[in-house]
Amino acid sequence: DIQMTQSPSSLSASVGDRVTITCRASQSISSYLNWYQQKPGEAPKLLIYATSSLQSGVPSRFSGSGSGTQFTLTISSLQPEDFATYYCQQAYSPEYTFGQGTILEI
Amino acid sequence: EVQLLESGGALVQPGGSLRLSCAASGFTFSNYAMSWVRQAPGKGLEWVSFISGGSVSTHYADSVKGRFTVSRDNSKNTLFLQMSTLRAEDTAIYYCAKVMVPAAPGFDYWGQGTLVTVSS
């Protein structure tokens, strides 16, 4: 099975900061990498699919990059509503493994 | 508007069985694969199962293989998860999710989740 590892596990930042979250796959997954945001008590929300494609309605301050085994999610200027937990997910194999999550805190 | 509504969560004893349902609306259900994802209390997301639009292909996480069965009724726009031989570690919120087109297989819509508690 493909393992997904995110770093860091948690991150403290301030409004206006630029932050980057990294996701590493245990084997090449081409560009089949998705990112989700989850707030407490809510279902996850798709932010980015296929490494860098922004889901409809997601602000342009979110961006994704990478290929193969190394991927990043960048938030260019943090807004108060961005403080949440972020998960990467591989979609290369039909066992859609998630990373362990990154908690983004104020 | 796409809507996914899970139901069937309950308190069940270890070794018991439960069937979850996910009622879909707002899209052509049979054209899309679906998945189940769960989240144990205070933990991260765990993918559970996948079923293709026509039910030809199914996949399961190792943790549930042989105990859980995913199915769908396209005539009723409903997804199911039959869970048996339940364990304490199956306690979680279970979400159903719509899978985007095969070329970009993200989970673009999610239900609100249904809670399964396995405890004596």
Side-chain angles (χ1 to χ4, degrees):
Chain A
D1 289 1
I2 300 174
Q3 308 300 317
M4 306 301 293
T5 304
Q6 288 180 233
S7 60
S9 296
S10 64
L11 174 60
S12 294
S14 301
V15 172
D17 284 354
R18 178 185 179 92
V19 299
T20 298
I21 299 170
T22 298
C23 181
R24 187 176 70 250
S26 60
Q27 66 183 72
S28 176
I29 57 171
S30 185
S31 296
Y32 291 95
L33 191 284
N34 307 315
W35 289 98
Y36 298 85
Q37 176 193 67
Q38 187 181 33
K39 298 179 179 179
E42 297 183 4
K45 171 186 172 184
L46 178 64
L47 295 177
I48 289 172
Y49 61 94
T51 297
S52 59
S53 295
L54 208 61
Q55 175 66 353
S56 176
V58 174
S60 59
R61 62 181 180 271
F62 291 91
S63 64
S65 64
S67 68
T69 62
Q70 197 87 1
F71 302 87
T72 59
L73 171 69
T74 299
I75 309 173
S76 61
S77 178
L78 275 174
Q79 299 303 301
E81 60 268 30
D82 299 337
F83 292 94
T85 300
Y86 293 84
Y87 296 92
C88 64
Q89 178 202 38
Q90 65 84 15
Y92 181 80
S93 78
E95 290 80 22
Y96 290 89
T97 330
F98 288 92
Q100 81 279 14
T102 295
I103 302 172
L104 179 52
E105 302 172 307
I106 301 174
Chain B
E1 178 191 5
V2 171
Q3 290 192 333
L4 299 170
L5 185 61
E6 302 95 338
S7 61
L11 171 64
V12 60
Q13 292 190 338
S17 298
L18 203 60
R19 187 174 87 154
L20 305 183
S21 300
C22 171
S25 62
F27 64 103
T28 305
F29 183 67
S30 59
N31 285 354
Y32 292 92
M34 299 290 293
S35 257
W36 288 95
V37 177
R38 68 184 181 183
Q39 186 168 36
K43 302 299 184 182
L45 301 174
E46 180 186 16
W47 171 81
V48 172
S49 70
F50 165 97
I51 184 168
S52 61
S55 303
V56 171
S57 177
T58 59
H59 298 277
Y60 300 91
D62 288 345
S63 58
V64 307
K65 202 171 293 184
R67 301 187 300 120
F68 289 12
T69 301
V70 62
S71 63
R72 62 194 295 162
D73 185 339
N74 286 344
S75 69
K76 295 182 178 178
N77 292 348
T78 304
L79 174 72
F80 302 101
L81 185 67
Q82 179 67 47
M83 305 185 294
S84 62
T85 320
L86 283 162
R87 307 166 179 165
E89 54 265 36
D90 296 319
T91 294
I93 296 172
Y94 284 74
Y95 297 100
C96 65
K98 171 182 167 288
V99 183
M100 294 171 71
V101 295
F107 297 177
D108 56 349
Y109 290 95
W110 297 63
Q112 86 293 342
T114 188
L115 178 62
V116 173
T117 303
V118 183
S119 175
S120 56

